[in-house]
Amino acid sequence: MADLLLDVLSLLLLAGGLFLGFSGALGVLRFPDFYTRIHAAGVTDTLSAGLILGALMLQAGLSLVTAKLALILLFLWYTSPVASHVLARAAMHAGLRPWSAPARSAAAGEASSTSST
């Protein structure tokens, strides 16, 4: 019974990790600029890796493999947000401006004023 519970919990963690990984990849493809893309990649990379490694640790049990997976998880939790932050700072320092959506009211006002003249 305990093995079945561990398998189900591992399956749920793996499914969550895969979902977050897929949504992060989709965010990298769909978001409009560099800053939102690294946000999507950084957040989902950290959470996805945490869930997947957690599932693997449940399957490994108490062993040296679990200790190694925990060290990998700890390393990823510290390095991934720092890498995203450093990339964002480097891009800002290089002059890359964040994307901003055009104002809808100004664009609609211009369209209505040009159509009336």
Side-chain angles (χ1 to χ4, degrees), residues 53 56-72:
L53 288 173
L56 293 177
M57 284 190 272
L58 286 178
Q59 289 296 311
L62 288 177
S63 65
L64 183 60
V65 173
T66 303
K68 290 177 181 177
L69 289 172
L71 287 176
I72 291 170

Side-chain angles (χ1 to χ4, degrees), residues 8 11 23 30 32 45 48 50-51 53 55 57 65 74 86 89 91 93-94 97-98 100-101 110:
V8 169
L11 179 67
S23 63
R30 298 284 300 176
D45 177 40
S48 175
L51 289 177
L53 288 173
M57 284 190 272
V65 173
L74 190 67
V86 168
R89 282 185 62 107
H93 183 71
R97 307 300 306 162
S100 61
E110 289 177 12

Side-chain angles (χ1 to χ4, degrees), residues 45-117:
D45 177 40
T46 304
L47 293 175
S48 175
L51 289 177
I52 291 173
L53 288 173
L56 293 177
M57 284 190 272
L58 286 178
Q59 289 296 311
L62 288 177
S63 65
L64 183 60
V65 173
T66 303
K68 290 177 181 177
L69 289 172
L71 287 176
I72 291 170
L73 181 63
L74 190 67
F75 178 75
L76 285 176
W77 275 353
Y78 280 112
T79 58
S80 182
V82 170
S84 296
H85 182 75
V86 168
L87 281 173
R89 282 185 62 107
M92 188 63 80
H93 183 71
L96 184 62
R97 307 300 306 162
W99 178 80
S100 61
R104 289 182 181 254
S105 61
E110 289 177 12
S112 66
S113 67
T114 57
S115 64
S116 64
T117 56

Side-chain angles (χ1 to χ4, degrees), residues 26-53:
L26 190 64
V28 167
L29 292 175
R30 298 284 300 176
F31 283 162
D33 73 336
F34 177 76
Y35 298 104
T36 54
R37 288 179 184 158
I38 64 169
H39 173 73
V43 168
T44 57
D45 177 40
T46 304
L47 293 175
S48 175
L51 289 177
I52 291 173
L53 288 173

